[in-house]
Amino acid sequence: MADTVKSTSALQLEFSFSDGDTRTVSIDEPKTSINLGATAAQIGSYVKEHNILLGDKTGANSKGLKNARLVNQTTTKLDIG
């Protein structure tokens, strides 16, 4: 067998809450043909406006998107047998 290489990506969206808590939501394999920055901002605004995420400590309201980043990862499985 040969070594195998696997590449993945995830858009990680970090939301903040009025009680100081944060939560990260990860979207695996996002489309790269769209503007991810603008899309992340739209998601953040939607979450805040419609209050669809609550803090897990005290049920606090979301203040919106705090941070967004695209994480790319490549792993190599070596065939040593």
Side-chain angles (χ1 to χ4, degrees), residues 28-64:
D28 293 335
E29 303 302 329
K31 290 184 177 183
T32 56
S33 60
I34 60 174
N35 183 326
L36 292 177
T39 302
Q42 290 172 342
I43 292 170
S45 295
Y46 186 87
V47 166
K48 182 178 180 181
E49 181 180 339
H50 297 282
N51 204 30
I52 61 173
L53 288 178
L54 295 176
D56 59 354
K57 293 180 181 178
T58 63
N61 292 336
S62 174
K63 291 172 52 178

Side-chain angles (χ1 to χ4, degrees), residues 1-16:
M1 287 182 85
D3 296 345
T4 56
V5 178
K6 182 179 178 182
S7 296
T8 60
S9 66
L11 178 61
Q12 294 181 345
L13 305 172
E14 183 181 10
F15 295 92
S16 61

Side-chain angles (χ1 to χ4, degrees), residues 60-73:
N61 292 336
S62 174
K63 291 172 52 178
L65 189 63
K66 179 179 179 179
N67 187 16
R69 63 186 162 273
L70 183 63
V71 177
N72 295 305
Q73 183 176 15

Side-chain angles (χ1 to χ4, degrees), residues 19-30:
D19 64 356
D21 197 11
T22 61
R23 180 175 307 145
T24 300
V25 175
S26 183
I27 301 172
D28 293 335
E29 303 302 329

